[in-house]
Amino acid sequence: MDQRVSEHAEVLVDWSARVEAGDDVVVRVDEGAHDLAVAVAEKLGERGANYLATYVSDEVESAFVRSHDGDFDDDPEFEVAMLENADVVLSLRAKRNTAAKGAVPGEKRAAYKKSRTEIKAQMMDTDWVSTMHPTRAHAQNAGMDYREYEDFVYDAVLRDWESLADEMARMKELLDEGSEVRLVKEDTDLTMSIEDRTAVNSAASVAYDSHNLPSGEVFTAPEDPEGEVYFDVPMTHDGTRIRDVHLTFDDGEVVDWSAETGQQALDDIFATDAGAKRLGELGIGMNRGIDRFTDSILFDEKMGDTVHLAVGRAYSSCLPEGEEGNQSAVHVDMITDVSEDSRMEIDGEAVQRNGRFRWEDGFEE
Amino acid sequence: MDQRVSEHAEVLVDWSARVEAGDDVVVRVDEGAHDLAVAVAEKLGERGANYLATYVSDEVESAFVRSHDGDFDDDPEFEVAMLENADVVLSLRAKRNTAAKGAVPGEKRAAYKKSRTEIKAQMMDTDWVSTMHPTRAHAQNAGMDYREYEDFVYDAVLRDWESLADEMARMKELLDEGSEVRLVKEDTDLTMSIEDRTAVNSAASVAYDSHNLPSGEVFTAPEDPEGEVYFDVPMTHDGTRIRDVHLTFDDGEVVDWSAETGQQALDDIFATDAGAKRLGELGIGMNRGIDRFTDSILFDEKMGDTVHLAVGRAYSSCLPEGEEGNQSAVHVDMITDVSEDSRMEIDGEAVQRNGRFRWEDGFEE
């Protein structure tokens, strides 16, 4: 077995999920995740934890949902009981076909999801972590050769997380103390308020309330954007590719927008509700192990030398106690490359220039 | 997908497990059982049941057990809770390597098994059924080509179970009413008492308290054997092949034994304890879909035109209320071919001759 699979398991079990002796750990094994499941089981045995492996298959689920009449039982007790008694849930995502759910009618899919609300809540109530094991299907989705994709995934996952978490803590501190962020690059000069907001240091560990491996971003919930911004990293929204988005904000709302590709999809996003035209998130990608767009938000928004903004719903963890923040049915992340000819300022002082942070070599040049 | 996979799933869900709407069904998916899992999920959806798939992998389990210090937690609550709330457990056995547990030290394996006593009991307390999905590993074990092995498995599984159950009921009635069985063939003339014993109609359905698919045998718990018997179907006991066994019983106990291959293993069996030298089971194989030895007891002992005897422990379901029956740490099945030059009598009347039963064409010839 690739030594990196074992290292991945160790990061997942120790850094991300903080598994301890006696923990009851549900391991959700996707169709293509067998090798990682073996490596994770080995680490769980070493730590003296207990494991129960479940089988997660889009094909199995689709067969069930399609043949069911659609009147699903709400939250079957055996699954709720399993999760109520679990300390940790590790999801090993590894699809063999990313299109496997395509044949399930959307209505039935939604009904099935709704019938599992309590199951989802119980899962979220554990120290859960979701990660990805590279498969040919995911490589195909990323438009990459399989070996090259493996390298990509392990570069993203096998970081020095402790040192990255420290670095992200510095960015969090700047955002927490600051009042206004300004982003400047090609076709971009945007200001937004971050007064009284709390940034999240998403360091791929439950100890940081961060539940994805890889992670590596610091995000907050800005408001009152003014100006224009250009997103040059492509994105896929509900199956549609959107490219080269330009937005203009006035008085806190999007007033003008365009996309080279996917204009209709962009129109639809802004037509969703009033909140869709306001900002929900400002995120700073700090995982330099991720150096290319692969059409997977798990990786894309964490990419080093990028900044992303989301229109729509804000995360409550960034908001002052009792404040609601922006509400919307959508939360759509859009990413811009800041590696060249760019500047991010907080309260008028540059904190990132051409991708370099204030505390890094090369920032002053 | 092979149409027979879907038929297999239907037999399993409807005939064997009697799944009903609202049942909480745990589906235990072995490494190689994906296709059958998809077909089973489809049937469960049709019936309006709920499913939770677990992943059963010798490689995952071995990795866990090997790396653990061996002081396993007893019956982790999350797995007990899942099974306590389950109505049905379907085990889809399909190994990718039948030797995958070989590297685990026997002591640790035993300790792990012991730590799961309550989990096993909870599983046995459901309407559980164990079946097998053909894999190349199982084909290899049977010494067969994969396609040929698929045919073999589906011939065994896709029976007209209702009609076979009726036929087996006739054999059960004969055994229940009889007092003495005599078996006569080459090197064989054995009598044994079945007075007051109740035979089990093992018809591959929880409705018959029969939990394996395929099944197809009627068995009871004989005592006081006298005479000699020859077993010409090979067997594997604890990894050792044993062939051409001759036993001589006197006063209810084995007094003389020999094997062409595996004499030492046979000696070890009879040295286990006093009960190992007495009979625990007489079984009549009635599944004519199984027409060859494949070194898997799930199939071998159900083979049509065979009779098997087990030395060692008797099943309590065959015994009168309050009677203990033969006790032993072992229960070793040995099979003899009765398709030619053979006769089974109950109370002096032939009920099977050269493999034909009394109610079949060809019995009188």
Side-chain angles (χ1 to χ4, degrees):
Chain A
M1 197 189 288
D2 189 327
Q3 178 58 28
R4 294 174 300 181
V5 178
S6 176
E7 290 166 23
H8 184 175
E10 188 163 353
V11 170
L12 179 65
V13 167
D14 291 340
W15 172 262
S16 294
R18 311 280 160 132
V19 172
E20 292 176 2
D23 279 353
D24 283 356
V25 181
V26 173
V27 184
R28 303 179 76 242
V29 184
D30 265 27
E31 284 181 27
H34 175 80
D35 285 359
L36 182 56
V38 172
V40 165
E42 185 174 24
K43 294 297 163 204
L44 294 177
E46 279 173 18
R47 301 297 169 263
N50 308 308
Y51 89 97
L52 170 53
T54 64
Y55 187 56
V56 179
S57 157
D58 283 353
E59 288 184 9
V60 170
E61 184 180 314
S62 295
F64 177 79
V65 173
R66 287 178 74 185
S67 71
H68 200 285
D69 65 14
D71 184 15
F72 297 100
D73 284 356
D74 281 337
D75 301 304
E77 189 54 32
F78 65 156
E79 193 160 356
V80 173
M82 174 185 76
L83 291 168
E84 270 177 351
N85 288 282
D87 301 297
V88 174
V89 175
L90 303 178
S91 287
L92 315 184
R93 293 162 58 179
K95 293 181 191 293
R96 292 196 298 179
N97 173 1
T98 62
K101 281 188 175 172
V104 185
E107 244 174 69
K108 265 197 183 175
R109 217 193 293 190
Y112 183 62
K113 194 177 168 188
K114 188 151 176 272
S115 76
R116 298 170 59 79
T117 307
E118 172 65 13
I119 287 170
K120 178 104 190 261
Q122 287 292 347
M123 195 274 278
M124 305 282 280
D125 203 37
T126 69
D127 281 340
W128 65 275
V129 181
S130 181
T131 193
M132 180 191 275
H133 181 67
T135 63
R136 284 169 178 80
H138 290 295
Q140 177 177 324
N141 218 51
M144 284 165 81
D145 164 85
Y146 177 53
R147 298 294 165 206
E148 190 187 20
Y149 185 69
E150 283 188 313
D151 292 345
F152 167 79
V153 170
Y154 293 120
D155 280 351
V157 164
L158 303 178
R159 310 307 298 169
D160 178 347
W161 285 104
E162 199 137 4
S163 121
L164 182 51
D166 288 347
E167 204 183 336
M168 294 201 296
R170 300 175 79 151
M171 176 52 74
K172 170 179 157 58
E173 201 182 332
L174 290 170
L175 290 168
D176 286 353
E177 290 171 357
S179 302
E180 187 184 79
V181 174
R182 181 180 176 203
L183 187 63
V184 183
K185 65 167 265 185
E186 176 193 2
D187 293 347
T188 299
D189 191 346
L190 187 75
T191 58
M192 54 209 129
S193 165
I194 52 166
E195 184 84 48
D196 295 331
R197 302 303 166 107
T198 307
V200 171
N201 177 352
S202 183
S205 169
V206 297
Y208 290 85
D209 200 21
S210 170
H211 298 272
N212 286 301
L213 175 67
S215 189
E217 61 164 327
V218 178
F219 63 89
T220 190
E223 22 172 42
D224 303 328
E226 284 289 337
E228 57 168 351
V229 54
Y230 168 45
F231 300 101
D232 44 9
V233 178
M235 56 186 276
T236 300
H237 181 72
D238 276 352
T240 304
R241 178 60 55 94
I242 306 178
R243 259 180 197 283
D244 292 316
V245 172
H246 286 85
L247 304 183
T248 306
F249 287 91
D250 189 32
D251 215 10
E253 282 197 1
V254 173
V255 291
D256 196 28
W257 61 87
S258 71
E260 286 296 310
T261 305
Q263 179 71 41
Q264 184 59 52
L266 198 62
D267 293 349
D268 291 347
I269 290 166
F270 292 123
T272 310
D273 49 31
K277 288 189 177 168
R278 293 191 289 266
L279 282 187
E281 181 187 354
L282 160 68
I284 293 132
M286 294 180 66
N287 185 336
R288 290 216 175 97
I290 307 172
D291 59 358
R292 58 194 289 176
F293 166 75
T294 58
D295 203 12
S296 162
I297 199 66
L298 176 64
F299 294 89
D300 296 343
E301 66 172 16
K302 318 302 189 316
M303 210 185 317
D305 301 351
T306 69
V307 167
H308 58 278
L309 294 166
V311 295
R313 193 177 55 254
Y315 293 116
S316 57
S317 47
C318 303
L319 303 168
E321 187 80 21
E323 199 169 310
E324 266 218 317
N326 192 33
Q327 301 291 309
S328 173
V330 295
H331 176 101
V332 182
D333 291 293
M334 303 182 187
I335 305 171
T336 192
D337 183 340
V338 296
S339 62
E340 284 179 10
D341 299 323
S342 82
R343 193 168 82 246
M344 185 167 61
E345 297 173 359
I346 297 180
D347 299 336
E349 280 198 59
V351 296
Q352 186 179 26
R353 192 184 290 131
N354 306 334
R356 296 277 110 187
F357 292 102
R358 182 190 280 183
W359 54 84
E360 290 185 302
D361 287 348
F363 173 75
E364 292 304 335
E365 285 152 31
Chain B
M1 197 189 285
D2 190 325
Q3 178 58 28
R4 296 174 299 183
V5 178
S6 177
E7 289 166 25
H8 184 176
E10 189 163 350
V11 170
L12 179 65
V13 167
D14 291 341
W15 171 263
S16 295
R18 311 282 159 128
V19 172
E20 292 176 3
D23 278 354
D24 283 355
V25 182
V26 172
V27 185
R28 303 180 76 241
V29 185
D30 265 28
E31 285 181 26
H34 176 80
D35 285 359
L36 181 57
V38 172
V40 165
E42 186 174 24
K43 294 298 163 204
L44 294 177
E46 279 173 17
R47 301 296 169 264
N50 308 308
Y51 88 97
L52 170 53
T54 63
Y55 186 56
V56 180
S57 157
D58 284 353
E59 286 184 10
V60 170
E61 184 180 312
S62 295
F64 177 79
V65 173
R66 286 178 74 184
S67 71
H68 200 285
D69 65 14
D71 185 15
F72 297 100
D73 284 356
D74 282 336
D75 301 302
E77 188 53 32
F78 65 157
E79 192 159 357
V80 173
M82 174 185 78
L83 290 167
E84 269 176 352
N85 287 282
D87 301 297
V88 175
V89 175
L90 303 178
S91 286
L92 316 185
R93 293 161 58 180
K95 294 181 191 292
R96 291 195 298 180
N97 173 1
T98 62
K101 282 188 174 172
V104 185
E107 240 173 73
K108 265 197 182 175
R109 217 192 294 189
Y112 184 61
K113 194 176 168 189
K114 185 149 179 276
S115 76
R116 298 169 61 78
T117 307
E118 172 66 13
I119 286 170
K120 176 103 189 260
Q122 288 291 347
M123 195 276 277
M124 303 284 280
D125 204 36
T126 69
D127 282 339
W128 65 276
V129 181
S130 181
T131 193
M132 181 190 276
H133 181 67
T135 64
R136 284 169 179 81
H138 290 295
Q140 177 177 325
N141 219 50
M144 284 166 81
D145 164 85
Y146 176 54
R147 297 294 165 204
E148 189 187 20
Y149 185 69
E150 283 188 311
D151 292 346
F152 167 79
V153 170
Y154 293 120
D155 280 351
V157 165
L158 303 179
R159 310 306 299 168
D160 178 347
W161 284 105
E162 199 137 3
S163 121
L164 182 52
D166 288 348
E167 204 184 336
M168 293 200 296
R170 299 175 79 154
M171 176 51 76
K172 170 179 159 56
E173 202 183 330
L174 289 170
L175 289 169
D176 286 352
E177 290 171 356
S179 302
E180 187 184 80
V181 174
R182 181 180 175 203
L183 187 63
V184 182
K185 65 167 266 186
E186 176 194 2
D187 293 346
T188 300
D189 191 343
L190 187 75
T191 58
M192 53 208 129
S193 165
I194 54 166
E195 184 85 50
D196 294 330
R197 302 302 165 108
T198 307
V200 171
N201 178 351
S202 183
S205 169
V206 296
Y208 290 85
D209 200 21
S210 169
H211 298 271
N212 286 300
L213 175 66
S215 187
E217 62 164 326
V218 178
F219 63 89
T220 190
E223 26 173 37
D224 302 328
E226 284 289 337
E228 57 168 352
V229 55
Y230 168 45
F231 300 100
D232 46 8
V233 177
M235 56 187 277
T236 299
H237 179 73
D238 276 353
T240 304
R241 178 60 56 92
I242 306 178
R243 260 179 196 284
D244 292 316
V245 172
H246 285 85
L247 304 183
T248 305
F249 287 91
D250 189 33
D251 214 9
E253 283 198 1
V254 173
V255 291
D256 196 28
W257 61 88
S258 71
E260 286 295 311
T261 306
Q263 179 71 41
Q264 184 60 52
L266 198 62
D267 294 349
D268 291 347
I269 290 167
F270 291 124
T272 310
D273 49 31
K277 288 190 176 166
R278 291 190 289 266
L279 282 187
E281 181 187 355
L282 160 68
I284 294 133
M286 294 179 65
N287 185 336
R288 291 217 176 95
I290 307 172
D291 58 359
R292 57 193 289 175
F293 166 75
T294 58
D295 202 12
S296 161
I297 198 66
L298 177 64
F299 294 89
D300 296 342
E301 65 172 16
K302 318 301 188 316
M303 210 184 318
D305 302 351
T306 69
V307 166
H308 58 279
L309 293 166
V311 295
R313 193 176 56 254
Y315 293 117
S316 56
S317 47
C318 302
L319 303 169
E321 187 80 22
E323 199 168 310
E324 268 218 317
N326 192 33
Q327 301 292 309
S328 172
V330 295
H331 176 102
V332 182
D333 291 294
M334 303 182 187
I335 306 171
T336 191
D337 183 340
V338 296
S339 63
E340 285 178 9
D341 299 324
S342 83
R343 194 167 80 247
M344 184 167 61
E345 297 173 0
I346 296 180
D347 298 337
E349 277 196 63
V351 297
Q352 187 180 25
R353 193 183 291 131
N354 305 334
R356 296 278 110 187
F357 292 102
R358 180 189 282 184
W359 54 83
E360 289 185 303
D361 289 349
F363 173 75
E364 291 304 335
E365 286 151 30

